[in-house]
């Protein structure tokens, strides 16, 4: 079994444990998708040297890159602890790349929570400020029950 296949198998097993499922959904790129609020997220094993694991999310799409957008993202990036925020094409991406060496479920779960959380936190703001959309709609506020 190649190193890439071994790492994919290991990550798959960690995700099965994290999500408490036997079968995982895999997209056409071979990535494992998940959702955090308004953000579309994925876990992928990168066919690079060395092989790495990347967790990434689309916070907002349909964005036109501009100096104002880059300034806003730079300010957000300055407060981020473990996630990287960037513009790729017309999308704002949040990602974290981790080594598969001694990769554990808590380490992968932290990366997934961090990336998904940041993407969800900034998606609506960035989409609203820069005429984009979030991958998933924001939940509508629920009316308070009458007393």
């Amino acid at each position: 079994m190649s190193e890439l296949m071994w790492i994919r198998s290991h990550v798959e097993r960690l995700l099965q444990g994290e999500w408490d499922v036997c079968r995982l959904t895999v997209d056409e790129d071979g990535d494992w998708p998940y959702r955090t609020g308004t953000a579309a997220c994925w876990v992928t094993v990168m066919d690079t040297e060395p092989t790495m694991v990347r967790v990434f999310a689309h916070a907002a799409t349909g964005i036109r890159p501009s100096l104002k957008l880059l300034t806003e993202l730079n300010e957000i990036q300055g407060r981020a602890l473990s996630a990287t925020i960037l513009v790729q094409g017309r999308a704002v991406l949040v990602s974290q790349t981790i080594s598969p060496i001694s990769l554990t479920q808590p380490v992968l779960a932290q990366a997934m929570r961090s990336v998904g959380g940041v993407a969800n936190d900034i998606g609506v703001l960035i989409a609203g400020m820069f005429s984009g959309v979030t991958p998933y709609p924001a939940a509508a506020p629920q009316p308070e029950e009458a007393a």
Side-chain angles (χ1 to χ4, degrees):
M1 182 182 285
S2 74
E3 178 186 54
L4 180 67
M5 289 177 61
W6 181 89
I7 292 169
R8 280 192 60 81
S9 176
H10 180 62
V11 170
E12 185 173 73
R13 180 66 192 107
L14 294 176
L15 290 170
Q16 287 171 326
E18 180 64 25
W19 292 329
D20 195 27
V21 297
C22 293
R23 285 211 155 98
L24 297 174
T25 301
V26 180
D27 70 11
E28 59 276 355
D29 296 325
D31 303 333
W32 296 279
Y34 69 101
R35 177 181 175 176
T36 301
T38 61
C41 312
W42 296 266
V43 176
T44 190
V45 175
M46 302 169 65
D47 188 7
T48 56
E49 185 57 45
T51 304
M52 299 293 279
V53 176
R54 178 167 287 159
V55 179
F56 66 100
H58 288 174
T61 60
I63 304 293
R64 290 189 188 271
S66 67
L67 182 56
K68 186 176 178 184
L69 171 63
L70 297 176
T71 300
E72 184 69 30
L73 294 180
N74 194 47
E75 286 183 29
I76 295 167
Q77 180 65 66
R79 295 187 302 273
L81 294 177
S82 61
T84 301
I85 301 133
L86 59 99
V87 176
Q88 188 173 51
R90 294 179 54 109
V92 173
L93 260 56
V94 179
S95 70
Q96 183 175 342
T97 304
I98 48 183
S99 171
I101 298 171
S102 300
L103 181 61
T104 62
Q105 190 170 332
V107 171
L108 183 58
Q110 178 279 327
M112 292 167 60
R113 279 192 308 274
S114 176
V115 167
V118 169
N120 180 57
D121 288 348
I122 69 171
V124 173
L125 171 75
I126 296 299
M129 288 176 65
F130 299 98
S131 303
V133 296
T134 56
Y136 295 101
Q142 299 299 315
E144 294 184 31
E145 290 184 35

